[in-house]
């Protein structure tokens, strides 16, 4: 007999059906949520499309659509038509925990979208793996990325890297305003230096090739005529990467490969592509945190005071200083909550699952709209405001429905490392001077928008003169 996974209710008949979305509901869900998120780019952002989606305010319409579906169908997931077949849309917070805390053997992560998209980029990546392959690849990823450790073993070097790359943006360029491309350029360098080693710092060609492959992955194999071009780009990227693996820098993640557990199917060289893709989510959370701090004086004052105190006690860009910045870290986490870099977590079931006594067959997709749950004003009172304190007191941390970086067995192995890099970057900007922002409308006096448009964003930093310097000028 196939085991059932999920909550159980005594006396509920096995044949009871899950609620099914109507044709109109499926159409609204596709128009406001599925299609916009696909068009924005699943693997690599499409800035022009993202700008259009922001103008149409699809985020607000998507939340309204899901709320109406929950009111009509009650608790439990609703069967909808997803991008790759029948899909259980999880609209109840407690059901999110069932999925994310469930075993990956049942709530598998290698969905059609991931397998198809990564086929041309890196088919052996952890995110597209299942079964024994996933087990050995996960062990390798966990080891190299120090999964679950708040401070990576190479944190000393990594914090210096993000400090240097952030500082390179300050000065006259920052005074005029920095756009998303400027931040992406610096985060690409952070990735190359921290992942591949210092020898890769200036290898822009590697980043361009990877970007080309990720942009093609957005099409999920639909553009067959581009397959040969993608294979050439992947071959060239892997050749460049191989040089850094052959002479592994002990200050980079590749320097940890030799000591990490591996098996015949681990494919260590194949894991790097996903780390670079995940770094884009770290960049998004960083920029969002800076925009929020620039527009929320009370939070900015507290974060700046924390950075200054840590610097006085331990020195700038140190591990000890980073550990004394829990509030800055919480600002990054809440920025990711407000505008989740990955708004949907997809799974596929490999066995029957139970939802309050109702049985769903195996072989269906499960969609957890974490962006919706994090902004569900009917459930949480801080849904539409900047609330880093909710991470400090455990409210957000203990809420499985708030999962900007996933949770459970499928949580990203590099979650802690990513937050560390983002926190170090934000801290350097706070040291740089007074923050300013244009292109987005954020204010502590009104609910924050459901869509964050980074395409028009400009982050400015004006150096703050010390009292002695002001006296000299006078």
């Amino acid at each position: 007999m196939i085991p059932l996974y999920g909550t159980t209710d005594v006396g509920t008949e096995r044949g009871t059906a899950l609620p099914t979305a109507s044709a109109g509901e499926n159409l609204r869900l596709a128009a406001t949520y599925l299609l916009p998120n696909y068009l924005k780019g699943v693997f690599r952002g499409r800035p022009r499309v993202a700008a259009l989606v922001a103008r149409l305010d699809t985020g607000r319409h998507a939340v309204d659509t899901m709320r109406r579906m929950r009111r009509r169908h009650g608790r439990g997931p609703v069967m909808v038509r997803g991008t790759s077949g029948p899909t259980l849309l999880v609209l109840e917070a407690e059901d999110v925990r069932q999925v994310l805390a469930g075993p990956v053997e049942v709530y598998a992560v290698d969905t059609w979208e991931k397998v198809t998209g990564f086929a041309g980029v890196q088919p052996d990546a952890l995110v597209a793996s299942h079964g024994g392959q996933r087990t050995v690849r996960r062990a390798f990823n966990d080891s190299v990325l120090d999964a679950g450790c708040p401070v990576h073993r190479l944190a000393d070097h990594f914090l210096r890297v993000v400090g240097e790359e952030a500082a390179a943006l300050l000065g006259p360029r920052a005074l005029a305003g920095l756009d998303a491309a400027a931040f992406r350029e610096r985060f690409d360098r952070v990735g190359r230096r921290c992942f591949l080693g210092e020898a890769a710092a200036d290898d822009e060609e590697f980043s361009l090739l990877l970007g080309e492959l990720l942009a093609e992955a957005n099409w999920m194999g639909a553009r067959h005529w581009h397959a040969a071009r993608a294979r050439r780009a992947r071959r060239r990227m892997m050749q460049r990467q191989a040089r850094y693996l052959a002479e592994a820098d002990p200050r980079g993640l590749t320097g940890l490969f030799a000591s990490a557990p591996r098996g015949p199917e681990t494919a260590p060289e194949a894991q790097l592509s996903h780390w670079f893709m995940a770094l884009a989510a770290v960049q998004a959370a960083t920029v969002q945190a800076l925009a929020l701090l620039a527009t929320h004086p009370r939070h900015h004052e507290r974060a700046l005071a924390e950075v200054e105190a840590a610097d006085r006690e331990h020195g700038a860009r140190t591990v000890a200083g980073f550990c004394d910045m829990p509030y800055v870290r919480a600002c990054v986490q809440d920025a990711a909550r407000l505008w989740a870099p990955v708004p949907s977590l997809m799974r596929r079931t490999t066995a029957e699952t139970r939802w309050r006594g109702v049985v769903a067959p195996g072989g269906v997709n499960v969609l957890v709209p974490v962006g919706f749950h994090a902004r569900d004003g009917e459930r949480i009172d801080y849904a539409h405001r900047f609330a880093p304190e909710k991470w400090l007191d455990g409210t957000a941390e203990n809420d499985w429905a708030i999962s900007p970086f996933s949770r459970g067995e499928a949580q990203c192995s590099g979650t802690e490392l990513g937050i560390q890099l983002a926190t170090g970057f934000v801290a350097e900007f706070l040291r740089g001077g007074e923050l300013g922002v244009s292109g987005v409308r954020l204010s502590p006096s009104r609910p924050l928008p459901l869509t964050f448009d980074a395409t028009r964003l400009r982050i400015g930093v004006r150096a703050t003169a010390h009292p002695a310097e002001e006296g000299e000028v006078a």
Side-chain angles (χ1 to χ4, degrees):
M1 182 176 179
I2 298 175
L4 298 178
Y5 294 86
T7 56
T8 58
D9 288 346
V10 178
T12 304
E13 294 185 4
R14 184 183 177 88
T16 304
L18 287 164
T20 301
S22 66
E25 288 173 327
N26 276 313
L27 181 61
R28 284 193 295 273
L29 184 68
T32 62
Y33 189 75
L34 300 176
L35 188 59
N37 284 324
Y38 169 76
L39 293 176
K40 283 194 300 182
V42 176
F43 296 89
R44 178 82 167 184
R46 296 177 173 125
R48 292 182 180 177
V49 177
L52 175 61
V53 167
R55 285 198 296 273
L56 295 175
D57 199 12
T58 59
R60 179 174 61 83
H61 297 305
V63 167
D64 289 342
T65 296
M66 289 188 228
R67 279 179 181 163
R68 277 186 276 178
M69 291 176 71
R70 186 170 60 189
R71 289 168 189 156
R72 177 173 180 241
H73 297 289
R75 304 175 71 202
V78 179
M79 189 71 77
V80 301
R81 287 199 298 269
T83 54
S84 56
T87 299
L88 292 172
L89 177 63
V90 178
L91 297 174
E92 192 68 30
E94 64 186 77
D95 292 339
V96 174
R97 181 161 191 158
Q98 173 177 321
V99 176
L100 301 186
V104 292
E105 290 82 6
V106 176
Y107 296 100
V109 300
D110 58 330
T111 60
W112 173 84
E113 292 84 355
K114 295 172 188 173
V115 172
T116 305
F118 264 95
V121 182
Q122 204 57 271
D124 296 322
L126 171 66
V127 72
S129 305
H130 186 67
Q133 286 183 335
R134 176 175 175 81
T135 299
V136 296
R137 291 170 185 171
R138 177 72 195 214
F140 176 84
N141 276 263
D142 284 355
S143 175
V144 174
L145 298 174
D146 283 355
C149 299
V151 179
H152 194 276
R153 77 193 90 166
L154 298 177
D156 278 318
H157 180 62
F158 290 171
L159 288 171
R160 283 196 296 272
V161 168
V162 294
E164 290 167 3
E165 297 300 336
L169 289 174
L170 302 176
R173 187 179 180 187
L175 186 60
L178 301 163
D179 61 9
F183 285 98
R184 183 173 62 249
E185 172 192 333
R186 286 294 146 183
F187 269 90
D188 283 345
R189 281 182 58 86
V190 167
R192 295 195 299 267
R193 293 177 67 184
C194 292
F195 301 170
L196 300 176
E198 290 297 335
D202 297 321
D203 192 352
E204 296 181 4
E205 179 69 14
F206 175 86
S207 295
L208 289 173
L209 290 168
L210 179 57
E212 179 182 335
L213 288 171
L214 291 173
E216 187 60 32
N218 285 338
W219 294 93
M220 298 181 187
R223 300 201 304 181
H224 302 290
W225 57 93
H226 276 232
R229 178 179 174 179
R231 285 194 297 270
R232 289 193 298 271
R234 181 171 180 266
R235 185 166 55 249
R236 289 167 58 198
M237 183 194 75
M238 294 300 290
Q239 288 171 347
R240 302 185 80 89
Q241 179 178 292
R243 298 204 300 267
Y244 307 119
L245 290 172
E247 300 178 4
D249 186 339
R251 296 167 296 179
L253 294 181
T254 54
L256 304 177
F257 280 23
S259 61
R262 68 174 71 189
E265 296 184 292
T266 300
E269 73 288 345
Q271 310 312 315
L272 283 156
S273 298
H274 186 244
W275 300 349
F276 277 98
M277 190 181 103
L279 194 61
V282 176
Q283 173 200 325
T286 302
V287 172
Q288 290 163 191
L290 289 172
L292 287 162
L293 288 169
T295 53
H296 290 68
R298 180 172 61 85
H299 298 292
H300 177 274
E301 182 180 350
R302 181 173 175 180
L304 177 59
E306 185 178 76
V307 171
E308 291 176 340
D311 288 353
R312 285 194 301 269
E313 180 71 20
H314 307 289
R317 306 177 188 173
T318 64
V319 172
F322 164 77
C323 292
D324 276 356
M325 296 181 190
Y327 190 75
V328 179
R329 172 191 169 94
C331 288
V332 170
Q333 290 175 291
D334 207 53
R337 172 191 69 86
L338 285 163
W339 302 288
V342 182
S344 302
L345 299 178
M346 290 292 299
R347 302 287 187 268
R348 64 175 181 87
T349 62
T350 61
E352 290 183 339
T353 54
R354 184 186 293 275
W355 310 83
R356 298 179 187 82
V358 180
V359 175
V364 299
N365 297 314
V366 181
L367 191 161
V368 179
V370 291
F372 162 73
H373 288 289
R375 303 299 296 271
D376 184 4
E378 294 180 349
R379 189 179 70 87
I380 55 176
D381 60 5
Y382 58 96
H384 306 305
R385 64 179 177 86
F386 187 31
E389 69 278 0
K390 295 298 183 179
W391 293 92
L392 296 178
D393 66 16
T395 301
E397 192 69 58
N398 295 327
D399 187 346
W400 279 63
I402 298 176
S403 302
F405 303 106
S406 190
R407 296 181 189 247
E409 292 183 23
Q411 179 172 338
C412 177
S413 300
T415 294
E416 294 295 338
L417 175 56
I419 294 174
Q420 175 185 309
L421 296 176
T423 301
F425 206 99
V426 170
E428 193 67 28
F429 263 64
L430 290 169
R431 295 184 187 105
E434 181 184 351
L435 294 178
V437 64
S438 64
V440 294
R441 299 183 63 186
L442 309 176
S443 170
S445 62
R446 60 174 178 265
L448 292 169
L450 285 154
T451 305
F452 187 91
D453 183 9
T455 60
R456 296 187 301 154
L457 178 75
R458 296 294 185 274
I459 299 285
V461 183
R462 182 173 61 188
T464 303
H466 296 288
E469 295 172 344
E470 292 176 350
E472 291 169 2
V473 172

